């Protein structure tokens, strides 16, 4: 077949039109990293019905509150909560100023790299490590410490920055909800001031929409400047029964959608589900040992046992990471 | 002069154009209840410089956080905090269920209308009254109690609903800031759950942007439904040094503008003023005994003493209610 110039032009135009149509189709898919399946369909169906004016399930934008756990729901949490790696790195940085740590537990074992002995004291050891590394400075100094760490630290297994170990499919859910008038909140057992310095950049969630565990702070003049000083004293544990309490304190409204991955999120999902009108609860189930980690009922971190039973009984959405997600993490940055 | 049809049309058109121009001029004035003076000019100058792209004082929208005290700053607070009138009305409603109150202070004096004896016990009496009237129910039940009360209760002096005793000029400031990309927060010594049920309708501030004093809550199943139950136990006092602490907890960012009316707001204003870049601090000074109340250094409520000195020393804006405000309250509703 011989193609003349006019035909060439026509072909070029057609190719252009088709390419453009494909782009539009792609742009119109808000969840490109999700395989078509029950999980994906349930998300789209929920968002569609609560945003359709005139629908009996319509929810006014002001009430479209969605809460997300962080560890294991928005980013990975294995082999340990990432905030714990932060604390360990801080112990190493601060060790020269604390010669007593050489013989004082849990620091002595930590500095020798003996994690098991360091944590033998359970919650008390953990609390000591957190207080030694998270308190004493102003909130603004701590903000800078976290920002500096998260910009450079690498995950021990993947060797990627922690902020690249966020779940691409969940980033898409966050953006999809916000594009549909939802306000997205983090409600995490992690430290509120450990998350705030980076979640706006990474998740598009501003500091004032972060609920988390916290230590007390005190208003104080330092060098003539009023600051908030972080005290070595627990303020609030935002886990299990604490999550609905944290939601009450910070948001003051029952969410209509909640996302978690462990039994620590169960009360948040129960609280969300029990409101009147349409509700959406989702568990991320870690089933992908090849691309991420596979764990649930017996895991020492992010244990999902009772939650899995309740999700089945109540018909909540359970994401099968291996089969529902095309990608786990965003593409590596150069 | 005789006017023909054509001239009539011309006149009509001109009148129309002029009327329209006047409307535009009015619409363009974001602060119509403010007399032209230093206070008004300082607000406009600040908003203009932080929102002008390319200006050395430009502040990105995400950082445009403005915090407002409530009692005496957004609504009136005399002759007593309005939340106290709410508590008194609740004592009356609940009295039949508490026969012991007939002889138990501070309730016995309260029910006789003897405020002075009732409050002789100081903070302890006040706390007992608050706990007896604000705890025991779920957060959703309390929300309804507040909504019902605020819809019907009238101020003892003006006989107007409390939500009509908000300051029209401050409503204009709130709207003006939001129209310029600010996020507006309440940071009040009043109860967070006492404000949330009505501030969205009255101030345009959603529940999640309210910081206040609080009692503890507990996640609990009631009739098979998970709720937050309000406990008779203090959680947080959002006053004086507590205001910057509350800001840290809920907002996690230093505000760039803060509005108050008493020494209870001083630390919030100091904390705001001490950030880097452009800052704006404003005190509402109650100088209008005819249209509202006149009080400052010696008042038992909303005392403004140290704050007045610091405002003068630091060049903060001080609103002279009598001379700066054309109107105090919005027009009465029919």
């Amino acid at each position: 077949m011989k193609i003349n110039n006019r035909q060439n032009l026509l072909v070029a135009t057609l190719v252009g039109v088709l390419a453009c149509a494909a782009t539009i189709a792609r742009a119109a898919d808000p969840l490109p990293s999700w395989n078509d399946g029950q999980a994906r369909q349930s998300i789209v169906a929920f968002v569609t019905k609560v945003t359709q004016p005139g629908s009996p399930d319509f929810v006014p934008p002001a009430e479209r509150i969605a809460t997300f756990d962080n560890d294991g729901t928005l980013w990975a949490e294995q082999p340990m909560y990432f905030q714990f790696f932060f604390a360990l790195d801080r112990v190493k940085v601060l060790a020269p100023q604390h010669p007593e740590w050489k013989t004082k537990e849990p620091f002595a074992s930590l500095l020798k790299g003996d994690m098991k002995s360091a944590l033998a004291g359970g919650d008390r050891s953990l609390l000591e490590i957190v207080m030694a590394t998270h308190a004493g400075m102003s909130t603004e100094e701590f903000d800078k410490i976290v920002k500096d760490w998260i910009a450079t630290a690498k995950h021990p297994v993947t060797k990627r920055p922690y902020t690249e170990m966020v779940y691409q499919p969940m980033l898409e859910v966050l953006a999809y909800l916000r594009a549909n008038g939802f306000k997205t909140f983090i409600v995490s057992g992690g430290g509120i001031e450990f998350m705030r310095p980076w979640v706006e950049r990474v998740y598009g969630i501003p500091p004032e929409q972060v609920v988390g565990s916290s230590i007390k702070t005190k208003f104080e003049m330092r060098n003539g400047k009023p600051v908030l000083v972080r005290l070595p004293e627990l303020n609030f544990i935002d886990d299990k029964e604490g999550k609905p309490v944290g939601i009450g304190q910070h948001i003051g409204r029952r969410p209509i959608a909640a996302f978690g991955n462990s039994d620590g999120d169960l009360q948040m999902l129960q609280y969300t589900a029990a409101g009147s009108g349409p509700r959406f609860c989702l568990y991320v189930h870690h089933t992908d040992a090849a691309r991420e980690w596979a764990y649930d009922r017996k895991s020492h971190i992010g244990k999902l046992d009772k939650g899995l039973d309740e999700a089945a009984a109540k018909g909540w959405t359970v994401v099968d990471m291996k089969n529902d997600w095309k990608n786990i993490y965003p593409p590596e940055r150069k």
Side-chain angles (χ1 to χ4, degrees), chain A:
Chain A
M1 190 175 79
K2 202 182 150 206
I3 296 175
N4 64 21
N5 274 350
R6 185 135 177 218
Q7 279 170 324
N8 255 343
L9 187 68
L10 187 69
V11 168
T13 306
L14 270 174
V15 168
V17 167
L18 288 173
C20 183
T23 305
I24 291 171
R26 266 202 307 278
D29 178 2
L31 302 171
S33 300
W34 290 73
N35 286 314
D36 193 27
Q38 232 179 351
R40 182 201 157 96
Q41 285 163 18
S42 70
I43 298 167
V44 174
F46 175 75
V47 170
T48 305
K49 75 179 176 186
V50 301
T51 53
Q52 202 146 50
S55 146
D57 289 322
F58 180 79
V59 175
E63 290 166 29
R64 292 182 202 157
I65 302 289
T67 55
F68 290 80
D69 168 56
N70 186 39
D71 298 307
T73 300
L74 293 179
W75 75 352
E77 61 181 351
Q78 295 285 3
M80 278 197 295
Y81 296 126
F82 296 174
Q83 188 173 358
F84 191 67
F85 290 120
F86 165 77
L88 293 191
D89 285 349
R90 290 300 300 160
V91 166
K92 286 177 207 152
V93 170
L94 295 170
Q97 300 163 42
H98 293 273
E100 77 279 11
W101 284 357
K102 276 183 197 148
T103 53
K104 192 186 167 194
E105 291 299 347
F107 305 99
S109 296
L110 267 193
L111 290 168
K112 281 181 224 139
D114 178 0
M115 224 50 74
K116 207 171 164 184
S117 305
L119 296 179
D123 282 354
R124 216 189 118 166
S125 305
L126 201 60
L127 205 61
E128 274 197 68
I129 295 166
V130 169
M131 293 312 173
T133 53
H134 286 62
M137 68 296 280
S138 75
T139 52
E140 274 137 354
E141 285 161 352
F142 187 70
D143 177 275
K144 189 180 174 325
I145 289 168
V146 173
K147 275 193 178 126
D148 289 348
W149 180 81
I150 206 116
T152 54
K154 299 274 167 72
H155 187 274
V157 178
T158 67
K159 311 294 179 199
R160 294 184 65 174
Y162 292 103
T163 49
E164 289 187 16
M165 292 181 67
V166 298
Y167 302 132
Q168 177 62 30
M170 295 305 286
L171 298 182
E172 293 166 8
V173 170
L174 286 170
Y176 176 50
L177 289 175
R178 289 194 293 259
N180 281 282
F182 279 77
K183 212 162 179 175
T184 52
F185 288 82
I186 290 174
V187 179
S188 166
I192 190 167
E193 300 295 359
F194 174 72
M195 296 182 281
R196 280 172 164 165
W198 53 270
V199 293
E200 186 157 36
R201 174 176 59 82
V202 175
Y203 301 138
I205 296 178
E208 61 269 24
Q209 284 162 228
V210 180
V211 183
S213 298
S214 57
I215 56 178
K216 287 195 191 294
T217 63
K218 186 172 176 282
F219 178 79
E220 208 178 286
M221 293 284 175
R222 284 206 171 175
N223 310 318
K225 189 182 160 169
V227 294
L228 295 174
V229 174
R230 294 169 58 78
L231 306 178
E233 192 184 338
L234 264 184
N235 181 54
F236 182 65
I237 299 284
D238 190 52
D239 197 30
K240 299 192 177 75
E241 290 80 5
K243 289 208 172 193
V245 171
I247 288 170
Q249 281 176 4
H250 286 256
I251 310 179
R253 254 197 274 243
R254 210 182 269 255
I256 67 165
F259 300 76
N261 79 301
S262 79
D263 284 357
D265 304 311
L266 182 55
Q267 289 82 356
M268 172 168 80
L269 269 62
Q270 290 172 331
Y271 183 65
T272 300
S276 57
R279 302 282 144 171
F280 185 78
C281 292
L282 180 150
Y283 262 130
V284 173
H285 189 192
H286 294 263
T287 52
D288 195 329
R291 295 185 300 173
E292 207 240 4
W293 284 270
Y295 58 99
D296 47 32
R297 297 186 189 270
K298 309 229 152 137
S299 176
H300 67 297
I301 272 180
K303 178 171 157 178
L304 178 61
D305 183 32
K306 286 183 196 164
L308 216 43
D309 296 336
E310 188 141 343
K314 300 253 177 87
W316 296 342
T317 296
V318 177
V319 171
D320 175 351
M321 225 165 171
K322 188 175 173 181
N323 293 305
D324 282 320
W325 287 1
K326 283 184 197 156
N327 313 297
I328 305 288
Y329 306 127
E332 282 194 52
R333 292 196 191 186
K334 301 295 159 200

